Amino acid sequence: MESASEEYTARQHYTESEKQTIFNDEFMPHIHSMYNFGYRLTLDRDDAKDLVQDTFLKAYRFVESFQKGTNAKAWLFRILKNSFINDYRKKSKEPNKVDYQEVETYYNSEDVDRQITPDLRVESLKDMMGDEISNALNALDVDFRTVIILCDLEGFKYEEMAKILDIPIGTVRSRLHRARNLLKEKLKSYAKTMGYNNA
Amino acid sequence: MATSPNPFIQADGKKPTCLEMLQLIVDDQATEEQRVYFKQHMDHCLPCYKEYNVDLAIRELLKAKCCGGGCPEDIVNQIKSKIKTISA
Ligand SMILES: [Zn+2]
């Protein structure tokens, strides 16, 4: 768990065969999760491939910054996320501004309970057998998409997400909350459409 | 006040709102103790009960539909052959 934040520090010394073992036994098992993460970030299968390949090559090159037996998954996810920001996002010049100010004020508001307004029904969700959820997720801003993927699909803890994303735990929590609300808004509009169709 | 059984209460003693409890549960970050407490809380809090079930259904949809079906086999081979040239 600690290794994610010490990506390029605390060098280990491994023999060539130890490196291979770490790579094959600790890194490679995460390749499918990594690919899905890459795909959900870029929304393009070729870009996802490049991103994954790039990440694993970096992981191999910097394997001595990884401490055997620690959280390889979080370490790899952090490398992928950084590659995405530094290489991919720069290339595609995707404008990306989340209104963090708005997000941060959420926990300070007095009437938070008022925000529990379940007008999305479980029954309508159960009817969404197609690409609705995937489209809704992909439509979110990449920063919101990312926390949903890390939390719901990959099961990371707040602390791990904070390290992968280089943000405070409080920001992880508020971003997740906001992301879930945005996702629900999208799903609600799909549910409405489906209701019209069924009527 | 100090002997409150609510396991969501933080070190600062502040009583958590429904939304704060719900988020820990939905984000799957709650302790076993907190999960048990929340289950009982839902018995007499309809908004939490409804929202929890909606959130759960969304999570199940995400898991069923957004896991991508695995990466193409050729990536694995491409990576392995590149590694070989690096380490050679
Ligand atoms: Zn409640």
Side-chain angles (χ1 to χ4, degrees):
Chain A
M1 194 181 290
E2 275 72 40
S3 63
S5 63
E6 280 112 44
E7 198 177 330
Y8 300 116
T9 58
R11 288 183 74 81
Q12 312 290 307
H13 294 286
Y14 300 127
T15 65
E16 220 32 64
S17 88
E18 274 178 319
K19 283 185 193 173
Q20 294 293 337
T21 307
I22 292 170
F23 194 83
N24 290 326
D25 297 354
E26 299 195 48
F27 294 174
M28 286 311 267
H30 301 296
I31 194 161
H32 293 289
S33 295
M34 303 288 292
Y35 177 74
N36 194 48
F37 187 41
Y39 172 64
R40 293 287 160 190
L41 289 177
T42 61
L43 302 181
D44 183 286
R45 302 226 170 252
D46 289 330
D47 287 339
K49 256 172 92 167
D50 290 346
L51 208 44
V52 168
Q53 210 175 82
D54 199 50
T55 301
F56 276 92
L57 294 181
K58 274 184 193 156
Y60 187 80
R61 204 173 306 137
F62 296 106
V63 66
E64 296 196 318
S65 314
F66 173 76
Q67 201 187 331
K68 209 160 65 175
T70 58
N71 194 338
K73 189 176 174 183
W75 192 74
L76 291 169
F77 267 70
R78 187 167 187 271
I79 297 176
L80 192 147
K81 180 241 49 186
N82 285 340
S83 296
F84 172 70
I85 291 176
N86 296 329
D87 307 332
Y88 180 85
R89 222 190 234 181
K90 228 176 254 168
K91 234 189 292 169
S92 66
K93 286 183 193 129
E94 180 186 332
N96 195 267
K97 284 277 159 283
V98 173
D99 193 346
Y100 296 115
Q101 215 57 45
E102 179 196 0
V103 175
E104 295 301 343
T105 52
Y106 148 68
Y107 275 108
N108 301 325
S109 73
E110 286 293 314
D111 52 355
V112 275
D113 282 334
R114 234 165 27 101
Q115 295 182 32
I116 298 188
T117 48
D119 39 9
L120 184 63
R121 286 162 47 244
V122 173
E123 293 72 30
S124 55
L125 288 168
K126 295 240 169 4
D127 285 336
M128 294 186 188
M129 304 303 290
D131 295 330
E132 294 92 349
I133 185 75
S134 185
N135 292 341
L137 179 65
N138 292 351
L140 296 185
D141 182 281
V142 67
D143 286 343
F144 290 132
R145 220 186 301 148
T146 301
V147 285
I148 298 264
I149 297 163
L150 295 181
C151 184
D152 288 3
L153 299 183
E154 301 302 338
F156 283 115
K157 295 295 153 199
Y158 286 151
E159 205 186 318
E160 295 171 313
M161 289 185 265
K163 282 178 180 169
I164 292 169
L165 301 173
D166 292 304
I167 54 177
I169 286 178
T171 309
V172 171
R173 292 183 52 156
S174 52
R175 204 178 284 182
L176 257 170
H177 177 77
R178 182 100 178 93
R180 290 191 195 289
N181 281 348
L182 291 166
L183 192 63
K184 277 178 209 171
E185 287 300 321
K186 303 258 182 233
L187 293 173
K188 223 186 291 173
S189 65
Y190 291 145
K192 243 183 220 166
T193 318
M194 288 162 66
Y196 293 143
N197 291 343
N198 294 341
Chain B
M1 203 56 151
T3 54
S4 171
N6 184 338
F8 285 91
I9 290 181
Q10 295 296 301
D12 61 8
K14 200 176 133 268
K15 196 172 174 288
T17 63
C18 283
L19 200 65
E20 285 166 338
M21 290 194 287
L22 185 63
Q23 193 182 0
L24 277 181
I25 298 288
V26 170
D27 293 347
D28 200 16
Q29 313 282 329
T31 63
E32 183 55 33
E33 211 186 353
Q34 288 171 327
R35 273 195 290 272
V36 170
Y37 180 91
F38 190 76
K39 234 176 196 160
Q40 290 166 353
H41 169 79
M42 281 193 292
D43 289 344
H44 51 83
C45 182
L46 192 61
C48 275
Y49 173 78
K50 283 186 174 171
E51 193 71 0
Y52 170 77
N53 282 293
V54 167
D55 286 330
L56 204 66
I58 292 175
R59 176 183 280 252
E60 277 166 14
L61 268 180
L62 282 167
K63 287 198 160 189
K65 299 280 182 184
C66 300
C67 282
C71 76
E73 263 311 306
D74 59 328
I75 300 187
V76 179
N77 296 327
Q78 279 167 18
I79 290 171
K80 286 194 169 162
S81 71
K82 280 202 179 167
I83 297 294
K84 251 183 212 145
T85 48
I86 294 174
S87 55

